[in-house]
Amino acid sequence: MSFANPVWTRFLPSSVVLSLARVGPLGRMRKAPGTWGSLGGVFLQLAVFHPLGTVLSLVLLAPLVWIGAALCGEAEFRLARRDPGEVVLDEFLSMPLCYLGWQQMVGILPAGWGPWPILLAGFLLFRMYDITKPLVIGKLQDLPGGWGVMCDDLAAALATCATLHGLVWAWQHWQR
């Protein structure tokens, strides 16, 4: 597998590359653009991935992640900066991974709570993992091109998902 950026991104106008990599206005927020990109990803989860199961979510996310890595790498090149803060497509596309197995997690909550505790916990955990970059998460930024931008967020999302499932398991066993 090659980690080089694909050629097709070079032919896109800078305005298109940067607008997509910034997820429109989210990357232009003055304070904490990564947090805004993550919040946009929560809405992506609700709008697109909420009704889907784990397998279908992964099938849909795989090409989006590949396209996202290509666009993030091209945005890095055009902005002449490594992992610029305004590039938030990585956070945006990673957030749905936090909620894999979503139906099972929401299903154990008391009636009337809805999905909000899971959404909030996932958002907060993801931001914590994305900012602190514990263990191998920080090393993934060293991957070349857009993969370095994307993979640390993907790992933070998977760590969030595992933590959420652990918390749900603990909640279930504590309630017995």
Side-chain angles (χ1 to χ4, degrees):
M1 176 178 167
S2 172
F3 284 108
N5 252 23
V7 175
W8 63 267
T9 57
R10 296 180 198 154
F11 299 102
L12 296 173
S14 288
S15 60
V16 170
V17 169
L18 296 178
S19 182
L20 290 170
R22 291 174 178 144
V23 188
L26 297 180
R28 298 298 240 163
M29 301 301 239
R30 293 217 186 273
K31 299 262 188 188
T35 299
W36 289 104
S38 301
L39 187 59
V42 171
F43 286 102
L44 176 67
Q45 164 65 24
L46 287 170
V48 177
F49 294 94
H50 172 73
L52 306 179
T54 300
V55 173
L56 195 51
S57 291
L58 290 171
V59 167
L60 182 57
L61 275 169
L64 292 176
V65 164
W66 181 80
I67 291 167
L71 289 167
C72 288
E74 190 64 27
E76 267 190 331
F77 175 76
R78 294 187 191 196
L79 293 168
R81 291 195 321 265
R82 181 83 172 121
D83 200 358
E86 66 195 78
V87 172
V88 297
L89 185 59
D90 49 338
E91 284 92 357
F92 181 76
L93 291 177
S94 295
M95 281 305 296
L97 284 176
C98 297
Y99 304 109
L100 291 176
W102 154 271
Q103 290 84 353
Q104 294 85 356
M105 289 189 280
V106 173
I108 65 101
L109 294 175
W113 282 25
W116 305 112
I118 301 295
L119 287 169
L120 180 61
F123 174 76
L124 294 173
L125 285 166
F126 176 77
R127 291 309 299 145
M128 180 192 72
Y129 286 128
D130 188 32
I131 291 166
T132 62
K133 300 191 187 318
L135 305 172
V136 73
I137 294 173
K139 295 278 185 204
L140 292 171
Q141 284 186 302
D142 296 337
L143 291 172
W147 290 107
V149 177
M150 194 64 127
C151 284
D152 68 311
D153 292 281
L154 295 173
L158 292 174
T160 297
C161 185
T163 303
L164 281 174
H165 281 281
L167 290 171
V168 165
W169 179 87
W171 172 268
Q172 276 183 306
H173 287 79
W174 181 68
Q175 294 296 320
R176 289 185 183 169

